Amino acid sequence: RNIDRLKVADINRYILYLVNEKKISVSQQNMRINAIKFYYEQVKGGKRQYYGGITRAKEYKTLPEVLSRNEIKRILDQLSNIKHRCMISLVYSAGLRRSELLNLTPKDINSETMSVRIMGKGKKCRYSLLSPKLLEELRRYFREYRPKKWLFEGETPGQPYSASALVKVLKEAARRAGIKHRVHVHMLRHSFATHLLEQGTDLHTIQELLGHNDIKTTAIYLHVSSAHKAKIPNPLDTLDDS
């Protein structure tokens, strides 16, 4: 039908169909309603309407999924290939995003300052931690593979390692390690931040290492970590002090 002849009831039926039948996400629901409102109200100059036939859905942010130290050790123990082991170790030990790992060059590893130079989102450069233990493994990897351009290259020299191949490496290692729940690359970054917090590292330092613009983004790990909560005095136990 002609889009300009549709009634509010027609649009509401369409949106409810998407919600109930197509099971679109909360963000998709709101995006489509906003697009419809923009067309009829801003482009066509119509009056404001209520669309959807349902209360606007709110999107709830879930807490980051984190691996335990034991789970990460078990995963690394399954990686006999030195390249695979270095890649997974570096994502965890420096708190990298998948794209950040694959964009690293050999020059980004600085053994003098024990740091990793990272080109993050929006071409923003930052530095993160370099593990002395991993540095030795990286040196062994470099002697064996001799990467030409990227730190981690695929089968074709000079071409970066495949993102999908990295995902497969991690999933297969997790499967062999006996980890039943879903494991994805970004969990290593979440685990890096959470474990640093549990070791007593302050939030601002973790923010810098992760490359977050807003401290509120980093503060989400306070909800994940249980170690810092254990150090908080229970108010019941402090009653005698007042």
Side-chain angles (χ1 to χ4, degrees):
R1 280 179 289 175
N2 187 311
I3 191 172
D4 294 325
R5 293 182 182 175
L6 293 176
K7 306 297 183 185
V8 172
D10 297 321
I11 295 170
N12 284 344
R13 280 195 294 272
Y14 165 70
I15 294 170
L16 286 171
Y17 162 75
L18 293 175
V19 172
N20 297 326
E21 301 296 328
K22 292 297 186 180
K23 308 295 184 184
I24 63 173
S25 67
V26 169
S27 60
Q28 278 290 326
Q29 291 175 41
N30 289 326
M31 188 187 305
R32 294 185 190 212
I33 292 172
N34 287 337
I36 291 168
K37 285 179 68 65
F38 181 83
Y39 177 76
Y40 285 110
E41 296 173 13
Q42 303 297 323
V43 177
K44 303 298 292 184
K47 65 179 181 179
R48 295 189 64 181
Q49 293 282 2
Y50 170 72
Y51 297 109
I54 53 174
T55 304
R56 278 291 191 109
K58 292 183 180 179
E59 190 161 19
Y60 295 96
K61 292 187 177 180
T62 56
L63 293 176
E65 298 174 285
V66 174
L67 293 163
S68 69
R69 286 178 172 82
N70 177 264
E71 287 174 326
I72 289 175
K73 183 180 184 304
R74 282 157 51 197
I75 288 172
L76 293 176
D77 286 344
Q78 297 301 319
L79 296 169
S80 56
N81 181 296
I82 185 65
K83 179 194 284 187
H84 295 166
R85 186 179 175 86
C86 282
M87 286 193 297
I88 299 302
S89 296
L90 195 50
V91 171
Y92 169 65
S93 66
L96 303 181
R97 299 178 179 93
R98 181 175 63 182
S99 59
E100 292 171 347
L101 173 81
L102 302 179
N103 287 329
L104 288 176
T105 67
K107 291 181 180 179
D108 292 325
I109 305 298
N110 193 322
S111 59
E112 291 185 9
T113 60
M114 292 306 292
S115 63
V116 182
R117 181 180 180 274
I118 306 153
M119 190 59 69
K121 284 185 176 180
K123 301 288 185 180
K124 288 176 60 179
C125 178
R126 73 178 192 277
Y127 292 86
S128 191
L129 311 176
L130 175 62
S131 157
K133 178 181 176 181
L134 177 56
L135 177 61
E136 294 306 312
E137 291 193 327
L138 283 169
R139 284 171 171 162
R140 184 159 66 90
Y141 154 73
F142 195 86
R143 289 194 298 269
E144 185 174 335
Y145 282 85
R146 294 292 176 184
K148 297 184 180 300
K149 180 179 179 182
W150 307 100
L151 181 59
F152 299 109
E153 297 180 342
E155 294 182 1
T156 304
Q159 293 298 313
Y161 198 84
S162 161
S164 59
L166 176 64
V167 171
K168 290 179 182 177
V169 166
L170 178 60
K171 286 188 174 180
E172 179 59 23
R175 186 191 65 79
R176 292 198 303 268
I179 298 173
K180 303 298 182 184
H181 59 80
R182 174 174 170 265
V183 175
H184 54 86
V185 177
H186 213 67
M187 286 176 75
L188 297 172
R189 176 173 159 88
H190 291 324
S191 303
F192 164 80
T194 304
H195 296 166
L196 282 181
L197 187 64
E198 292 177 344
Q199 291 170 194
T201 309
D202 66 272
L203 268 184
H204 284 285
T205 299
I206 297 174
Q207 177 190 4
E208 290 180 10
L209 294 173
L210 292 176
H212 287 161
N213 291 324
D214 193 337
I215 191 68
K216 292 179 182 177
T217 308
T218 316
I220 192 70
Y221 295 105
L222 288 169
H223 299 284
V224 181
S225 170
S226 57
H228 81 283
K229 295 172 187 171
K231 299 175 183 178
I232 302 173
N234 190 292
L236 180 65
D237 298 328
T238 60
L239 290 178
D240 293 335
D241 299 332
S242 59

